[in-house]
Amino acid sequence: METLAPMLVPMAGFWDTIMAPLHWAVSGLLVLAHNLFSPLFGPDSGLTWTLSIIVLTVVIRTLLIPLFVKQIRSSRNMMTLQPKVRELQKKYAHDREKLGQETMKMYKEEGVNPMASCFPLLLQMPIFFALFQVLNAAARGQVKGAFMTQELVDSIGQATILGANLAGTFLPMDSFGADQIVALVLILAMVASQFYVQLQLSAKNMPPEAMTGPMAQQQKMMLYLFPVIFGIGGVAFPIGLLIYWTASNLWSMGQQFYVIRQSPTPGTPAYAAWEARMRMKGHDPSTFKPGQKPPKKADSVAVAETREPSNEELGAENVQPERPRVQRQQPRRQTRSNRKR
C-alpha cells in the first residue's frame, strides 16, 4: 500500500479536476437554494438544508427530462423488438458474427439505439458522485465546491431533521439513535421507490410478447439487482444524500407515470387504459396516436330558431300557393246634386 500511495495521489488530483465543474454547479445550486430558504426557517435549520437538497433534485431532474423521455421510449422500443431479435437468434444460431451484424442492422432500420436507455443514468451518476463528495466532505468538516464556505460546511454539520444529523450515516453505528432510524427509513424508501420505478415500466408499458427472452431476463434482473445495490450502499450515504436520491426516485415515479399515461405502447395495459379514457371523452382512439392532440368533437346540433322556416328550407313540394289578395274597392264619391236627389 505504501508503494501505491504516490500513484494514487495524482489520480485523486486528476479525478478532482474532472469533477470540479460538477462540484461548482452542485455547490452553486445548493447555496442558492439555501439563501432562498434561510430567511424563512433560518440558515442553520435542517429544514432549510433539506428543502435546498430537494430544490437541487428538482432542478437536476427537470434538466434531464428530455433524456428521461428518450430513455423511456428507447427501453420500450428495445423490449418491443425482442420477438424480432429471437427470430434472428434462431436464424443465425451458429453464426455469432452474422447475428451481431443483423441485429445492429435491425436496430438501425428501426431507429433504436441500444445504449440510449443508459444515457440518463450515466449522466446522473456523475451528479450523484459530485453531490456525494460535497455532502460527504461537509460531514467531515471539509469544503468541496467553489460556492461552499467553511461557515456553510459547519452549518450542514450541525443541521438536524427529525433529530438526525444531515451529515450522519447509518454506519458506523456506535449506538442505534435518530441518525440510524432516519437513515433506515430513507434507505427503505429509496429501495422501494427504485423497485417501483422499474416495475412500473415493465408491468404497465410492455407487451406480453416482449416479456420473454434474454432482454426480458436482464430487465427482471435489473428490477431486483439495482434496489439491492443501492440498499447496501445506502448504509454509508449521508442522510442528506439519501434525501436527494429518494426525492429523485419519487420524481421518476411521477414523471414515468405521466409519460406512460400519455404515450403508452400499443398492446399493453397502459394502452388499453388510454383507449378507455379516450372513449369516455367521446374520441375514437383509432383516429389518432397516443401523444397526439385528439380531433375536435363535431359541433353540437344548434337549437332551432323560433322563426318560421322559409320556402327554400321547407321545399317546393310542401309549400302551398299563396291566395291572391282581394283589393276592396272604395265607393265612388257622389256629387252634391246627386246626393240631393
Side-chain angles (χ1 to χ4, degrees), residues 20-35 49 134 142-153 156:
L22 289 177
H23 293 157
W24 180 88
V26 168
S27 62
L29 290 172
L30 193 62
V31 172
L32 177 61
H34 179 265
N35 292 336
W49 283 109
V134 170
Q142 302 172 0
V143 176
K144 180 75 72 173
F147 292 93
M148 293 296 293
T149 63
Q150 190 62 47
E151 182 180 358
L152 292 173
V153 167
I156 295 177

Side-chain angles (χ1 to χ4, degrees), residues 128-141:
F128 174 78
F129 286 132
L131 183 60
F132 174 81
Q133 290 175 340
V134 170
L135 293 178
N136 194 46
R140 289 167 171 74

Side-chain angles (χ1 to χ4, degrees), residues 305 307-319:
E305 297 180 353
R307 65 176 178 82
E308 295 182 2
S310 62
N311 293 342
E312 289 79 3
E313 294 171 341
L314 291 174
E317 65 276 7
N318 296 327
V319 178

